[in-house]
Amino acid sequence: PSSLGSFKNIPHMSFDDAAREPEQTFALSRDVTGELEYPTKIARFSNVYHLSMHFPKNFGAETTKIFYIGLKGEWTEARRHEVTICSYEASANPADHKLEQITPQTHFIS
């Protein structure tokens, strides 16, 4: 490949999404030994939980073959906690929310 567009946090990316502006574009060089490194813009790649790579061009061949992609960086465990139980009420039902420490009081106005 001669070009690479990298996209972050698009889990179900399609080729239609590849038309968007990538986080970073790389102009790649021929690398027979696999030793070239390309620096990323660190500020654009913080908090990445999904990385997609699009290789739109090559050096003129009919097909593009990729044998190895190496990534460097610091891995941290995801700390996302998604909602597991959620109740939505249009109007609260007091019978569903009984608390033992609160005793109901009734006030009558005469």
Side-chain angles (χ1 to χ4, degrees):
S2 64
S3 178
L4 161 66
S6 55
F7 301 84
K8 74 174 190 176
N9 303 339
I10 308 173
H12 303 288
M13 186 171 169
S14 67
F15 283 103
D16 292 333
D17 295 322
R20 298 173 32 167
E21 182 69 26
E23 294 296 321
Q24 187 170 358
T25 303
F26 297 92
L28 305 177
S29 300
R30 291 184 187 263
D31 185 14
V32 179
T33 59
E35 296 176 355
L36 291 178
E37 293 185 15
Y38 298 92
T40 58
K41 298 174 183 173
I42 296 172
R44 298 193 112 182
F45 288 97
S46 61
N47 299 322
V48 175
Y49 62 86
H50 192 277
L51 181 65
S52 300
M53 297 179 184
H54 180 237
F55 298 92
K57 298 178 187 174
N58 63 20
F59 290 103
E62 190 173 313
T63 59
T64 301
K65 293 182 182 180
I66 299 172
F67 294 100
Y68 177 79
I69 297 174
L71 301 174
K72 282 185 171 182
E74 296 179 13
W75 177 84
T76 56
E77 187 174 349
R79 294 194 173 105
R80 290 182 15 185
H81 178 71
E82 297 179 13
V83 176
T84 53
I85 298 173
C86 188
S87 298
Y88 295 98
E89 298 177 0
S91 62
N93 182 358
D96 292 340
H97 305 281
K98 291 184 179 178
L99 298 174
E100 294 179 21
Q101 70 267 19
I102 298 176
T103 55
Q105 297 180 356
T106 307
H107 300 282
F108 294 101
I109 301 175
S110 310

